[in-house]
Amino acid sequence: MPAKYIFVTGGVVSSLGKGLAAASMGCLLESRGLRVNLQKFDPYLNVDPGTMSPFQHGEVFVTDDGAETDLDLGHYERFTHAKLTRDNNWTTGRIYEQIIAKERRGDYLGKTVQVIPHVTNEIKAAMKKVSQDVDVCIVEIGGTVGDIESLPFIEAIRQMRQDLGRENTLFVHVTLVPFIGVAGELKTKPTQHSVKELLSVGIQPDILLCRTDRFLSKEIKGKIALFCNVEEEAVITAIDVGSIYEVPLTFAHEGVDKLVLRYLHIDAGVRDISRWEELVSRVNNPKDEVSIGLVGKYVEYEDSYKSLKEALVHGALSQNLKLNVSWIEAEGLETKGREYESQLEGYDGILVPGGFGKRGIAGMLNGIRFARERKVPYFGICLGMQTACIEFARDVVGLETANSSEFDPATPHRIIYKLRELRGVEELGGTMRLGAWQCKLEPGSLAAKAYRTNEISERHRHRYEFNREYEQPLTAAGLRISGATPDGTYVEIIELPESEHPYFLGCQFHPEFKSKPLEPHPLFVSFIKAAYENRQRRVAEKSAAEVEMFLRPEKVGRP
Ligand code: GLN
């Protein structure tokens, strides 16, 4: 049977969580035995988000096939088993890029190329590309209804209903029902206006997911249903929740999946979300907590490390722990002496995430030195591996000018240098080492123990690499290279031996992209485990010191 489509649009304001709503519907449909795929259309003109600043766009999520995509694809992968590729994320820029290439080739045979039908046909063709071997495709349209730039996508989904019929297409609109404090009331007018806007472009929504901070009464639901021309049952309270992993449960409670099946005439199995229920009960009943200090430069904008933060949560949940993440501005650690150390005390583990450019590097190096010397578990990802190598080369090997040619092109000791295959490539879009690469692990290493295998595949996004000319002096001083590509070209993982440090590991890839709440990534599990052991050690030392103070105050210097 051909796939059926659910189209998700958003109204009133941005950031209502359309991506999470789409992912959660996918999760519920999978829990009934259906096969789903998810796709996102972004109405901006960049070909992909790869060249956009993290402040503008948030994290760039990388797929196995090396596409640089919107962060909502991360939610899709974390909530479902859909296998995402570059076909799962399209921007206006990429649609136009295709059309212009066709026009230049002469494919349009002299016709005038127009938004309707040429742009809309290209959008519909992209939608059909991801419908093979699945029962339901969930297609999210980025932006807010009423934006000029999203019009061609809205028109394309209107046509999809014309083409495929009512039983094969469903329109889900995510909207806002705000509580106005001074009036003491929930207000339905923004939703009414937003639906009116959709109607003006030919779309009558079937289901309204109403974002709100409190439950919608029967009366409010009835009012929205009446004004927006939907069934009362199809007005859903999409209430704010403490953890994003609760969203599928709240949707299940509101009967979203039942409605979808009824509207799309799908006969599916009984819903089984027991694993998600169990997960949420762990979220709500942690046995203890763990604190991780994240030293980076895009800290003030949380979306820039979305997958990373989730992967840390997964690692903590795997051990029944509540995660406290503190974002530490790297530049704030650039003190003359060791004053920066006071900012780092109190964390159970320290992590330096991926990043680009020179700003904040000196602070990251200080953070890493602190973790190495004080034996605080350290996890370096991509840039965090590169900076760990530089710190080691400078402070342990004594190569004071060790650097990456990214930060100092003239440095005599290029521990990290431009990827050999990228020399001479100046264009920025899509030119990094991207996507999944195989990696061989050293048997017996920290990495191999964490993964419980010696062969892995992980996703990359970088332009610089470890310079193997420095392998000898660094390994002679105690650094261990525990992961490399099978042909030995690229160093992928470095670590310190467990005899030297409880947990010190850096990887050139981004493990956070493959971590899921129900399948936490082995490196995040092992890092959090080490951080928690460090916490327990510190607690034990603190109480031993207190006992000592009580028993022998003269010895410990109490007056
Ligand atoms: N800037 C570094 C590089 O391009 C690290 C990239 C990253 O952390 N994703 O290699």
Side-chain angles (χ1 to χ4, degrees), residues 353-357 381-384 386 406-407 416 432 461-465 508 510:
F356 295 84
I381 295 179
C382 204
L383 178 67
Q386 298 174 353
E406 179 179 9
F407 321 132
I416 307 294
M432 285 187 251
R461 181 170 187 254
H462 62 118
R463 227 174 238 117
Y464 293 81
E465 59 166 316
Q508 186 57 79
H510 289 270

Side-chain angles (χ1 to χ4, degrees), residues 210-230:
C210 303
R211 289 303 312 278
T212 165
D213 67 355
R214 59 206 67 206
F215 275 96
L216 304 184
S217 63
K218 194 169 160 35
E219 192 195 346
I220 295 265
K221 284 191 173 184
K223 186 173 171 190
I224 294 174
L226 177 69
F227 281 103
C228 300
N229 204 21
V230 297

Side-chain angles (χ1 to χ4, degrees), residues 194-385:
S194 175
V195 170
K196 220 168 163 187
E197 193 77 48
L198 259 185
L199 284 168
S200 74
V201 283
I203 289 176
Q204 164 66 57
D206 301 298
I207 296 177
L208 295 175
L209 297 178
C210 303
R211 289 303 312 278
T212 165
D213 67 355
R214 59 206 67 206
F215 275 96
L216 304 184
S217 63
K218 194 169 160 35
E219 192 195 346
I220 295 265
K221 284 191 173 184
K223 186 173 171 190
I224 294 174
L226 177 69
F227 281 103
C228 300
N229 204 21
V230 297
E231 276 189 274
E232 197 176 304
E233 210 188 320
V235 180
I236 305 294
T237 301
I239 199 156
D240 298 346
V241 280
S243 155
I244 56 172
Y245 302 119
E246 247 177 279
V247 179
L249 305 189
T250 58
F251 280 14
H253 183 257
E254 288 274 312
V256 174
D257 49 339
K258 274 195 210 141
L259 266 178
V260 167
L261 298 180
R262 172 153 72 81
Y263 284 143
L264 287 177
H265 297 259
I266 299 175
D267 231 352
V270 190
R271 178 208 300 146
D272 178 6
I273 45 169
S274 49
R275 292 192 68 202
W276 291 89
E277 285 165 344
E278 193 271 328
L279 179 84
V280 170
S281 106
R282 261 186 288 145
V283 171
N284 295 330
N285 305 293
K287 68 167 189 206
D288 203 349
E289 54 187 359
V290 64
S291 315
I292 303 299
L294 209 140
V295 182
K297 72 169 182 178
Y298 306 119
V299 289
E300 61 266 51
Y301 188 44
E302 252 200 57
D303 268 2
S304 42
Y305 293 118
K306 196 96 192 157
S307 296
L308 175 66
K309 204 180 147 215
E310 291 311 316
L312 285 166
V313 168
H314 306 159
L317 279 177
S318 76
Q319 280 146 91
N320 267 322
L321 298 170
K322 176 178 178 288
L323 175 79
N324 301 317
V325 185
S326 299
W327 311 83
I328 305 163
E329 178 63 64
E331 278 178 302
L333 299 179
E334 293 176 10
T335 56
K336 270 220 173 79
R338 294 237 172 177
E339 293 86 353
Y340 65 84
E341 294 195 339
S342 61
Q343 292 184 56
L344 296 165
E345 272 151 17
Y347 293 111
D348 305 320
I350 290 177
L351 191 151
V352 173
F356 295 84
K358 196 176 166 191
R359 187 167 71 80
I361 296 297
M364 291 173 205
L365 294 175
N366 283 343
I368 295 167
R369 184 190 300 121
F370 177 89
R372 185 177 52 74
E373 290 180 348
R374 301 279 197 100
K375 304 210 186 304
V376 177
Y378 173 74
F379 190 9
I381 295 179
C382 204
L383 178 67
M385 178 198 105

Side-chain angles (χ1 to χ4, degrees), residues 372-423:
R372 185 177 52 74
E373 290 180 348
R374 301 279 197 100
K375 304 210 186 304
V376 177
Y378 173 74
F379 190 9
I381 295 179
C382 204
L383 178 67
M385 178 198 105
Q386 298 174 353
T387 41
C389 294
I390 296 168
E391 194 278 329
F392 191 86
R394 286 189 190 178
D395 297 331
V396 181
V397 184
L399 301 172
E400 273 170 37
T401 55
N403 215 333
S404 162
S405 56
E406 179 179 9
F407 321 132
D408 180 7
T411 183
H413 292 300
R414 296 183 308 163
I415 305 296
I416 307 294
Y417 62 4
K418 184 109 174 239
L419 279 160
R420 283 155 283 174
E421 82 241 28
L422 289 185
R423 306 268 162 92

